[in-house]
Amino acid sequence: MLKELKVRDLALVAESTLRFGPGLNLLTGETGSGKSLLIDGLGLALGARASTDQVRHGAERATIEAVFDSVSLLREIGKRGAARIDGRSATPGQLRELGDRLVALHGQHEHHALLDSDTQTELLDAYGGALDLRAGVAAAHGAWVAASNAVRDLEQLRSRGQRELEYLRWQLDELRQADPKPGEDETLAAERAAMRHAARLAELGQQAMDALHEDGLARAAAAMSLAAALDSRLTEQASRLDGLAEEMSDVAASVRRYVELLDSDPTRLEAIESRLAVLDGLKRKHGGSIDSVVQERQRLEVQVGATEDLDSAVSAAAAEEGRRQAELDAAAARLTKARAAAASRMEKAVATELEGLRLEGARFEVALRALDEVAAFGAEAIEMMFSANPGEPIAPLAKVASGGELARIMLAIKTVGAGADKIPTLVFDEVDAGIGGEAAIQVGVRLKALGARHQVLVVTHLAQIASFADHHLIVEKAPGRDGRNVVTVRELTTDDEKARELARMMSGGVTAKGLARAHELLYEAGRPRTPQPAPPNV
């Protein structure tokens, strides 16, 4: 859940902190007060593209921080931008990757996620409970790709012929003769360093042993042991001294063994230098590390071994590819069947919702476009289709839906699939475009229902929608200390405060009649109700 949005020096916002709660959070305010600007700020914290033009005039940088109950995302915009996740440096791309799992933004300024084929596929699969089937297709596709690559590699090897094979064998022989071991270079480098400083290490080791033998700790321990035999109150001190003396003795013995094993033999040092030179040469050829050298040897062993009977190896690999292809086709067929059933259900459910949202006569379809080849996401691409009015041809959603229609379609999809949607926070901006009256109330009902399963943030100009808020934030613009307008945000906590804002939204001012209607809206919104379809046309 998004707990706070802290914005500083972003356009007209000098400094504001928005606190959100569970359920339906509504942002209202006069036109131009900065409501959408704050949603843009949230988008920046989630990794949206930024521009230095967004920095408040006179400030060096704008800072936006989105604080969730599990993570904090921070974005700084200026000549030197920055991004942080829980205080650690990050990139805008990492913010986007994490933000996509935390918040779904549906607004008028960002690229609408609903227009993206991947998002449409995700929505359909989640709605139909087919995410596990899709994961199965992805796994089967990965296995098929690996099998296909194995066939390709073997066929390329066979086509290159004997000359290529001889080159591979020469490489493998070199690696076999060198026989590198994981970590060998590090071990030898440490031994070389010790040998180069053997004399000094021996001198320091002897000094340490002399000091350990001369400090009198053993004599002190013996004396204290005798004293404890005469006075039991000294037993603890005697025991501690015994332990120290024993530990000192162990250290001295360990140092003595180290000094005795020090090797300054120039022949051994020369052998180490020679071996390290061989290993360094191999590392330069094969990836830069001993691990990559070992992996290259293993790869060559497989390739050269396969050439002993290359024809049979190609046949075996082709058979494996065929088996993986059959598994992929079967997995994709199961997914296609689930998608077709889910598409049919979604079309009917969304159509009902669109009627309630006053898009009567609109058509919504989910098309499954077969691909030439099964992909990791299945055998078809999902394309959502829409027609706003009777008689108009149905076309891809991205080509025909206006901003307001798109917001209501997304609201309808989110409503019918609320149980399957895993994104915790949903943001709607411009969801009320072109509606009013009962349609606005139905939008509010649906947003309230979504708030039971998700945290929902909505920017609205309609009192009918605002009356359903669990948390009502008002955005206001007023002169600041420097004479420039600044944006401020505060939460309305009492029914009287909420009623005054609803009255202003309905009539532009606060009148007795407007307040009475506002209280009616708050009362009606507080009654349990479920989304209703539109009444039949008279």
Side-chain angles (χ1 to χ4, degrees), residues 15 57 61 111 149 152 161 163 166 174 227 238-239 242 309 347 361 377 412 420 443 450 453 461 482 494:
E15 185 171 5
H57 180 68
R61 67 178 61 86
H111 176 71
N149 289 340
R152 181 201 61 199
R163 185 174 179 180
E166 289 176 358
E174 182 183 41
S239 177
D242 281 341
D309 189 359
E347 288 174 350
F377 56 84
V443 168
L450 275 178
R453 293 181 177 270
H461 299 275
D482 57 1
T494 68

Side-chain angles (χ1 to χ4, degrees), residues 50 52 55 60-62 74-84 89-92:
T52 55
V55 179
E60 293 185 359
R61 67 178 61 86
L74 184 139
R75 184 83 176 274
E76 291 183 348
I77 302 164
K79 292 183 179 179
R80 293 185 178 180
R84 294 184 179 85
S89 293
T91 65

Side-chain angles (χ1 to χ4, degrees), residues 450-484:
L450 275 178
R453 293 181 177 270
H454 304 268
Q455 182 188 42
V456 182
L457 278 60
V458 178
V459 174
T460 185
H461 299 275
L462 297 181
Q464 295 96 322
I465 295 176
S467 65
F468 287 91
D470 294 307
H471 304 277
H472 190 156
L473 304 175
I474 182 171
V475 183
E476 299 170 313
K477 185 165 61 176
R481 295 179 180 178
D482 57 1
R484 291 184 294 167

Side-chain angles (χ1 to χ4, degrees), residues 387-398:
S387 171
N389 300 296
E392 291 184 0
I394 196 163
L397 196 60

